[in-house]
Amino acid sequence: MVVDHEERRRQIAEALLRIADTQGLQSASMRAVAAEAGVSLRLVQYYFETKQGLLLDALARLGTQLQARMEKWIVAAGTPPTPRGIVTALLSCILPTDPESRRITRTYAAYYTLVLNDPEVLEAHGARQPEQLEGFLAKQLRAAQQAGQIDPGKDAEIAAAGLLAMVNGLGSSVLGGQRTGDAALAILTHHLDELFRAS
């Protein structure tokens, strides 16, 4: 029998992500991951020598899942894509408004909780994806400025950082039961309406 090693790694990493989503990463021991994946502890240790290696592999897979979701939402936003359509799609798809986005948001929250206590992991892996996303949003905002859709006097980098921070805060408030996903989307839309109003 030929063993598909990548499929095995994926099976184990996704078991860790399920535990992170439902119980938090403090519950994701190698033994618990093995039980969730339906494999032996020895097999988990064969594919991932350390727990940190498993955590980082699973985090990369979570990032890939979020990326795929973003791409799908951008395509759904219309052709040709406009800066506002792209910005709206990206920020809306991050908000926990459906089962997939709630799972992704909860799992990222579990990672943030973990890395707060491990500055080295945070420094090496924690900020890369948010920085890339912030840069991409700023690029879209600059394109909107050039098209006369946003006040040219606004700082695109600061606006992008603010939008992303707002969406992260709104996501936490949805998961915490403070507001519904629809209410969070309405707040986001209000802020985008304010931003995409050339003066």
Side-chain angles (χ1 to χ4, degrees):
M1 187 179 114
V2 178
V3 177
D4 184 336
H5 294 291
E6 170 51 27
E7 176 58 26
R8 275 280 193 233
R9 290 176 70 86
R10 186 192 64 75
Q11 177 188 0
I12 293 166
E14 289 191 353
L16 178 134
L17 291 175
R18 286 195 299 276
I19 293 172
D21 173 30
T22 56
Q23 302 168 49
L25 281 170
Q26 73 282 356
S27 300
S29 66
M30 299 286 260
R31 192 174 298 281
V33 170
E36 176 68 25
V39 300
S40 69
L41 175 59
R42 182 173 290 177
L43 194 68
V44 173
Q45 292 167 334
Y46 170 77
Y47 283 105
F48 299 98
E49 292 179 8
T50 64
K51 183 176 177 183
Q52 186 180 82
L54 172 55
L55 286 167
L56 295 177
D57 182 271
L59 180 59
R61 290 170 195 275
L62 183 64
T64 300
Q65 292 171 13
L66 179 58
Q67 184 75 33
R69 180 178 168 86
M70 288 175 174
E71 288 168 4
K72 192 166 67 180
W73 279 56
I74 288 172
V75 168
T79 308
T82 63
R84 168 132 192 193
I86 291 171
V87 169
T88 302
L90 284 179
L91 295 174
S92 300
C93 89
I94 295 171
L95 284 174
T97 56
D98 59 31
E100 182 187 32
S101 56
R102 281 193 289 274
R103 175 187 62 77
I104 289 172
T105 303
R106 281 193 305 261
T107 308
Y108 268 118
Y111 269 95
Y112 287 138
T113 302
L114 182 75
V115 297
L116 285 175
N117 297 316
D118 194 338
E120 286 179 20
V121 175
L122 180 62
E123 189 176 326
H125 306 279
R128 193 175 307 146
Q129 194 172 28
E131 283 172 0
Q132 289 173 347
L133 181 54
E134 209 171 281
F136 183 74
L137 286 170
K139 181 179 170 187
Q140 298 304 315
L141 297 181
R142 284 193 296 274
Q145 284 177 316
Q146 289 166 2
Q149 298 164 354
I150 293 179
D151 179 354
K154 287 196 181 295
D155 185 313
E157 279 74 21
I158 289 177
L163 285 170
L164 207 48
M166 179 184 67
V167 166
N168 285 335
L170 286 172
S172 296
S173 71
V174 171
L175 290 183
Q178 181 185 349
R179 60 177 51 86
T180 64
D182 285 345
L185 279 171
I187 293 168
L188 171 61
T189 300
H190 169 79
H191 282 274
L192 290 175
D193 286 343
E194 292 282 308
L195 179 62
F196 282 83
R197 189 170 62 193
S199 59

